[in-house]
Amino acid sequence: MNAHDSEKVVGTLLHEGYNQVATPEQANYIFYNTCSIRDKAEQKVFNKLQHFKNSGKGKVIALLGCVAQQEGAKIFDRAPHVSLVAGSASYAKLPEMLVQIESGNRRVTGLDFDTPEAFDTPYTRRDNPFRTFITIIEGCDKACAYCVVPFTRGPERSRTAESILDEARRLADSGITEVTLLGQNVNSYRDPSASKWDFARLLDEVGRIPGFRRVRFTTSHPRDFVKPIIDAIDDNPNLCNHVHLPVQSGSSRVLEGMRRLYTRDQYMERIDWMKNANRDIAITTDLIVGFPGETEREFEETLELMEEVEYDAIFAFKYSPRPNTSALAMGDHIPDEEKTRRIVIVNELQRAIQIRRHSELIGNVEEVHVEGRHESLQQWMGKTSQNRTLNFSGRDAEALSGSYVPVRVTRGGPNSLVGEALSVN
Ligand code: SAH
Ligand code: SF4
């Protein structure tokens, strides 16, 4: 999401006549987009800002993203060399803010959430000519006890289906064949205009745009994840057979403490829908270890759930206390060494599951969307519809980037697959 936000910022500024340069040293203006999801990410920001202070004399430094939104004008006290602080809902207004800076104002902020322009930044400069993101919903109305996002990205706002489809058609016309519909909780999408489309309907319609071959979405909240989404994937081959469904914990008691609004059984019911679908749907997840009060037994429930689901991939995190969140009041009792022990066990288990699952794929033919070439390995790199990395040989140096190639899987490692392109006649 941050990478796509940066594309919106770059596009907006290029349209105003600014040029992009390769390094901060060459720049007159530095725009630094930031993340505050965990404390480590936030600490990085302040270290980097210190670096800009030393190397950025005479430059205008702008702090963007979640740390900017979270800290607001307090940034100017902590880092007086910063002149502009703006959250993600204000990027369309950056040109106006720069006019203020250029007319001598040393402290400019953009921190409102109710800016109607937030989505329709018409000048996004997309980095990849074949694959891209489309924002469909901003913000989050959930209140997970550990999470800073509702504070940094504000309340939920859905974009109109008309505006989404316009952008999608323009992208298809420009040669893009793969898109990811983006939001903190795409499942609660509801078209604010008369159509009132829900997410499953929107997904299906985007998947039917001529020219698109792969449509993905992220992220899904299990509470709002409904069966019609699976039905849409079953009915429409342009929708990728992959769902990222963050579980966070395998213990219903911990889930309650996290205010995730579902139990383990309710989560598993959604997993069953996917396992019973006609298509072979890859399932990935996010997990947090060491949430306040998580006992050894509750941690083991997470391991058991991982075994039961057999995820295709996971992102595991150590609980990190965040400002403003309700979990702050619960303390942070689990020592970092214990969180480390738990995350190591989680990652080892997942590695074994992936090795097992990948070995089952040997001999299969998968369609790969080619992303580029690894010259040193003499291999093409790409992704399957299930979002697995599959590197292959068997095709020489033709320009394959952006094309779809059938590949037979010959080997499976823990994180990726290797294969041979089927010969072309
Ligand atoms: N909106 C998405 C996730 C956004 S954040 C969702 O609800 O699934 C991405 C992931 O970061 C979360 O799924 C969670 O696993 C992790 N995360 C969020 N806050 C965290 C915190 N305080 N400590 C550790 N991990 C956290
Ligand atoms: Fe954070 Fe929960 Fe919202 Fe996801 S659903 S962004 S984890 S509050």
Side-chain angles (χ1 to χ4, degrees), residues 160-212:
T160 64
E162 190 189 353
S163 156
I164 295 168
L165 293 177
D166 274 356
E167 183 172 22
R169 289 192 195 101
R170 266 188 285 120
L171 293 170
D173 289 346
S174 77
I176 297 254
T177 60
E178 176 169 338
V179 293
T180 301
L181 304 183
L182 204 56
Q184 289 299 337
N185 179 9
V186 291
N187 308 132
S188 61
Y189 175 81
R190 171 71 56 169
D191 183 2
S193 63
S195 95
K196 296 271 182 292
W197 284 359
D198 63 7
F199 176 64
R201 176 71 193 271
L202 177 77
L203 181 64
D204 188 53
E205 295 282 346
V206 174
R208 290 181 195 281
I209 290 176
F212 282 170

Side-chain angles (χ1 to χ4, degrees), residues 303-350:
L303 301 177
E304 287 158 12
L305 179 126
M306 287 171 63
E307 286 278 18
E308 207 174 322
V309 178
E310 286 203 292
Y311 288 108
D312 293 275
I314 64 161
F315 299 94
F317 308 103
K318 296 197 260 186
Y319 169 68
S320 168
R322 305 310 296 126
N324 306 314
T325 59
S326 63
L328 264 191
M330 302 176 192
D332 181 23
H333 306 298
I334 300 184
D336 189 57
E337 311 82 77
E338 177 57 20
K339 288 181 192 164
T340 304
R341 188 188 71 87
R342 292 183 188 183
I343 203 168
V344 166
I345 295 174
V346 160
N347 285 330
E348 278 173 359
L349 172 60
Q350 183 58 25

Side-chain angles (χ1 to χ4, degrees), residues 162-379:
E162 190 189 353
S163 156
I164 295 168
L165 293 177
D166 274 356
E167 183 172 22
R169 289 192 195 101
R170 266 188 285 120
L171 293 170
D173 289 346
S174 77
I176 297 254
T177 60
E178 176 169 338
V179 293
T180 301
L181 304 183
L182 204 56
Q184 289 299 337
N185 179 9
V186 291
N187 308 132
S188 61
Y189 175 81
R190 171 71 56 169
D191 183 2
S193 63
S195 95
K196 296 271 182 292
W197 284 359
D198 63 7
F199 176 64
R201 176 71 193 271
L202 177 77
L203 181 64
D204 188 53
E205 295 282 346
V206 174
R208 290 181 195 281
I209 290 176
F212 282 170
R213 184 136 160 190
R214 284 190 178 178
V215 177
R216 306 182 181 278
F217 53 95
T218 199
T219 294
S220 287
H221 190 290
R223 161 85 173 219
D224 305 321
F225 188 81
V226 291
K227 180 80 171 25
I229 299 173
I230 303 295
D231 298 339
I233 294 174
D234 264 346
D235 290 346
N236 184 341
N238 289 345
L239 304 183
C240 288
N241 47 348
H242 168 219
V243 171
H244 183 65
L245 196 65
V247 66
Q248 315 299 359
S249 167
S251 148
S252 289
R253 203 217 45 95
V254 174
L255 288 171
E256 198 182 340
M258 289 178 166
R259 302 199 187 160
R260 282 292 284 182
L261 309 175
Y262 54 85
T263 61
R264 178 189 174 115
D265 287 350
Q266 286 166 332
Y267 181 86
M268 287 308 295
E269 188 189 3
R270 280 137 186 85
I271 297 291
D272 285 344
W273 296 341
M274 290 190 256
K275 300 233 164 180
N276 293 325
N278 296 327
R279 292 178 70 195
D280 182 10
I281 298 179
I283 308 170
T284 58
T285 203
D286 294 345
L287 286 173
I288 297 177
V289 298
F291 185 74
E294 182 189 62
T295 64
E296 182 65 17
R297 179 65 207 122
E298 287 163 346
F299 167 63
E300 285 167 6
E301 285 184 71
T302 297
L303 301 177
E304 287 158 12
L305 179 126
M306 287 171 63
E307 286 278 18
E308 207 174 322
V309 178
E310 286 203 292
Y311 288 108
D312 293 275
I314 64 161
F315 299 94
F317 308 103
K318 296 197 260 186
Y319 169 68
S320 168
R322 305 310 296 126
N324 306 314
T325 59
S326 63
L328 264 191
M330 302 176 192
D332 181 23
H333 306 298
I334 300 184
D336 189 57
E337 311 82 77
E338 177 57 20
K339 288 181 192 164
T340 304
R341 188 188 71 87
R342 292 183 188 183
I343 203 168
V344 166
I345 295 174
V346 160
N347 285 330
E348 278 173 359
L349 172 60
Q350 183 58 25
R351 186 181 153 90
I353 292 173
Q354 283 174 209
I355 290 174
R356 190 162 78 218
R357 286 186 67 74
H358 288 174
S359 72
E360 289 162 7
L361 296 173
I362 293 172
N364 283 10
V365 174
E366 303 272 347
E367 184 189 72
V368 175
H369 188 192
V370 182
E371 288 173 7
R373 189 167 164 84
H374 226 302
E375 276 312 330
S376 58
L377 297 174
Q378 298 274 295
Q379 279 178 339

Side-chain angles (χ1 to χ4, degrees), residues 83-198:
S83 320
L84 190 159
V85 171
S88 60
S90 300
Y91 295 160
K93 285 197 190 151
L94 280 174
E96 275 170 51
M97 291 191 253
L98 288 179
V99 169
Q100 292 181 41
I101 299 256
E102 281 152 20
S103 55
N105 196 337
R106 281 277 294 121
R107 299 272 181 263
V108 179
T109 56
L111 299 166
D112 293 342
F113 286 129
D114 55 355
T115 45
E117 310 92 326
F119 292 125
D120 295 310
T121 17
Y123 308 113
T124 308
R125 199 286 318 270
R126 288 179 153 90
D127 290 328
N128 188 308
F130 313 114
R131 211 163 32 95
T132 193
F133 296 105
I134 302 178
T135 305
I136 65 163
I137 181 168
E138 262 287 359
C140 181
D141 278 351
K142 296 281 184 289
C144 300
Y146 51 80
C147 184
V148 78
V149 169
F151 306 97
T152 59
R153 287 187 173 267
E156 239 167 53
R157 291 94 74 206
S158 288
R159 180 177 176 185
T160 64
E162 190 189 353
S163 156
I164 295 168
L165 293 177
D166 274 356
E167 183 172 22
R169 289 192 195 101
R170 266 188 285 120
L171 293 170
D173 289 346
S174 77
I176 297 254
T177 60
E178 176 169 338
V179 293
T180 301
L181 304 183
L182 204 56
Q184 289 299 337
N185 179 9
V186 291
N187 308 132
S188 61
Y189 175 81
R190 171 71 56 169
D191 183 2
S193 63
S195 95
K196 296 271 182 292
W197 284 359
D198 63 7

